[in-house]
Amino acid sequence: MTDHLYYTDSFLYEFEAKVVDVIGSTEAEPRPSVVLDRTAFYPTSGGQVFDTGWISPDDRSDQKARVVEVTETDDGTVRHFLSDAAWVEGGLRVHGAVDANRRRDHMQQHSGQHVLSAAFVHLFNLQTVSFHMGEDYCSIDLDTKALSREQVEAAEQLANEVVLENRPVNIRFVTQEESRSLGLRKLPPANRGELRLIEVPEFDLSACGGTHVRSTGQIGCILLRKTEKVRQGTRVEFVCGQRAVRTARQDYSSLAEAASLYSAQLWDLPQAIRKTQDEARMARRVREQLEEELAEQVALRMLAETPVVNGRKVVVKIYDDRDLSFIKLLGQKLTRLETGVIALLAAMRVQPAVVFVQSQGQPFDMGAFMKQALAKLGGRGGGSKDMAQGGPQQLGELPSVLEQLADKIRNA
């Protein structure tokens, strides 16, 4: 078992250790790894992601190996995955250096999570069932089906008040039996031995093996960004400290740019967007109405110009400047305005498409015809007896395939 130095000092960034084991690369795990007798590198655990950094023969050596990931086995052994372990051997004394910026960020996020989870308990008795720390944001899942905006804002305010009070963040170790009478926010599994507790006096007490700040003021601000429903409750996305500052700056820059595009003040942006959406919906309704009127006029002209052959009118048309929605609408108009119509239509705009449609009561199978056509043209498609559509690939053969099919229908 590795001696976990970060348990007692989360601000320990450099340390000396001895190599206990070197695990070479395999087909299943191409990255070599080493086991040290003691380490300050935090492994992925409890929702917190791993530390990175370097291992070298001594603190002045240029022969450094990058620590790219850290994991922990069930027996407490910590594995350090390295970019290069060619020079590492068992028994070697090494110097470890944790990436301090990454560690500080993780401490802010994890301590912030403890304060935020406690805030939801204090205000609404909502328990946190899981915690996730990502590269860009963190999240907690709360045991509730719904969360109002007022609840989110209240929890955020209380959490930041605790930050501003700069309360100490204490670490202590107790037995499993002792923990039962201490009022922990969440009891750990009963099979644990000695427990490491993280305490924010008179606000939160939790069992946790992660790295944490020394006082809540070091968390910096806590910013809640969004909520969403998930399988086990409601997920709350948040960021803390310097990450919150970066996120707020990015959000502000994006909003400011959007506001400039609308020639609006930042606070007027929602109203400007709603106005644009209303105008877009109105324009879409007008466009759809005009397209329907156009399709009907085109259908009337086509029917007037198409001769009757064997009691039917077969319409064949390929459009270079129309899309699938128009030819579907045109096909519907053609086959509803008269009873004996079969339309074979194609559109080349945006995405090549073909539509086969017949008036109700006609004896042909448009779905079968579509399969025959696409067998020659490539692509996928299908449909019912009276209407089918597809996306052809061999466009050079499209005119001849449609004409051959039209002749087959005329002569049936």
Side-chain angles (χ1 to χ4, degrees), residues 35 62 122 143 166 178 213 232 237 252 273-274 294 353 378 396:
V35 177
D62 292 332
H122 281 277
D143 186 17
N166 199 27
E178 289 173 324
V213 297
Q232 56 185 356
E237 179 184 309
Y252 177 83
I273 293 174
R274 282 192 290 269
L294 174 62

Side-chain angles (χ1 to χ4, degrees), residues 2 13 36 48 67 74-75 90 95 118 132 194 222 257 271 291 308 311 320 337 342 359 382 384 409 411:
T2 309
Y13 302 134
L36 307 177
Q48 180 176 331
V67 179
D74 292 338
D75 65 359
H95 177 80
H132 169 74
E194 189 177 53
I222 300 176
E257 183 178 355
Q271 181 179 351
E291 192 170 60
V308 177
D320 293 325
L337 288 169
I342 295 92
S359 300
S384 64
I409 295 171
N411 297 326

Side-chain angles (χ1 to χ4, degrees), residues 252 255-256 258-273:
Y252 177 83
L255 289 171
S260 68
L261 294 174
Y262 282 94
S263 298
Q265 297 292 339
L266 200 64
W267 51 86
D268 291 331
L269 187 56
Q271 181 179 351
I273 293 174

Side-chain angles (χ1 to χ4, degrees), residues 197-249:
L197 304 185
I198 305 299
E199 180 185 27
V200 179
E202 300 181 6
F203 193 72
D204 187 51
L205 182 63
S206 302
C208 180
T211 57
H212 290 276
V213 297
R214 294 193 178 107
S215 62
T216 59
Q218 293 177 331
I219 295 171
C221 60
I222 300 176
L223 174 65
L224 276 60
R225 301 194 69 223
K226 73 173 185 178
T227 63
E228 62 178 332
K229 292 183 179 180
V230 294
R231 181 176 57 84
Q232 56 185 356
T234 300
R235 180 162 297 165
V236 179
E237 179 184 309
F238 69 96
V239 283
C240 304
Q242 288 300 110
R243 195 185 294 198
V245 174
R246 291 194 301 269
T247 301
R249 169 53 56 188

Side-chain angles (χ1 to χ4, degrees), residues 109-159:
Q109 310 313 312
H110 204 159
S111 298
Q113 177 264 313
H114 278 228
V115 172
L116 180 61
S117 291
F120 277 109
V121 172
H122 281 277
L123 292 173
F124 313 111
N125 197 29
L126 296 178
Q127 294 291 336
T128 294
V129 295
S130 67
F131 162 55
H132 169 74
M133 182 189 297
E135 293 294 331
D136 299 319
Y137 67 90
C138 303
S139 64
I140 55 174
D141 290 351
L142 297 174
D143 186 17
T144 180
K145 293 182 179 180
L147 199 64
S148 69
R149 185 179 68 179
E150 290 75 18
Q151 287 176 306
V152 170
E153 292 176 353
E156 181 183 65
Q157 180 175 341
L158 177 57

Side-chain angles (χ1 to χ4, degrees), residues 376-377 394-402:
K376 299 177 181 179
L377 298 172
Q394 307 298 328
L395 303 182
E397 300 295 322
L398 181 60
S400 61
V401 169
L402 295 187

Side-chain angles (χ1 to χ4, degrees), residues 237-346:
E237 179 184 309
F238 69 96
V239 283
C240 304
Q242 288 300 110
R243 195 185 294 198
V245 174
R246 291 194 301 269
T247 301
R249 169 53 56 188
Q250 183 179 14
D251 290 348
Y252 177 83
S253 297
S254 298
L255 289 171
E257 183 178 355
S260 68
L261 294 174
Y262 282 94
S263 298
Q265 297 292 339
L266 200 64
W267 51 86
D268 291 331
L269 187 56
Q271 181 179 351
I273 293 174
R274 282 192 290 269
K275 181 181 178 181
T276 300
Q277 289 177 332
D278 290 341
E279 291 173 347
R281 281 191 289 268
M282 179 65 71
R284 184 169 61 251
R285 286 195 291 267
V286 171
R287 185 178 67 251
E288 289 172 352
Q289 182 178 352
L290 291 174
E291 192 170 60
E292 185 168 353
E293 293 174 358
L294 174 62
E296 184 165 347
Q297 293 301 313
V298 172
L300 288 170
R301 178 174 55 80
M302 282 181 163
L303 292 172
E305 296 173 351
T306 303
V308 177
V309 178
N310 289 333
R312 304 182 185 91
K313 290 184 177 181
V314 181
V315 178
V316 181
K317 181 67 175 179
I318 299 176
Y319 286 97
D320 293 325
D321 58 348
R322 296 292 178 183
D323 59 13
L324 173 61
S325 64
F326 179 78
I327 61 173
K328 286 178 68 174
L329 184 59
L330 177 60
Q332 292 170 355
K333 295 293 184 182
L334 286 167
T335 54
R336 290 172 184 173
L337 288 169
E338 293 188 13
T339 56
V341 178
I342 295 92
L344 309 177
L345 308 172

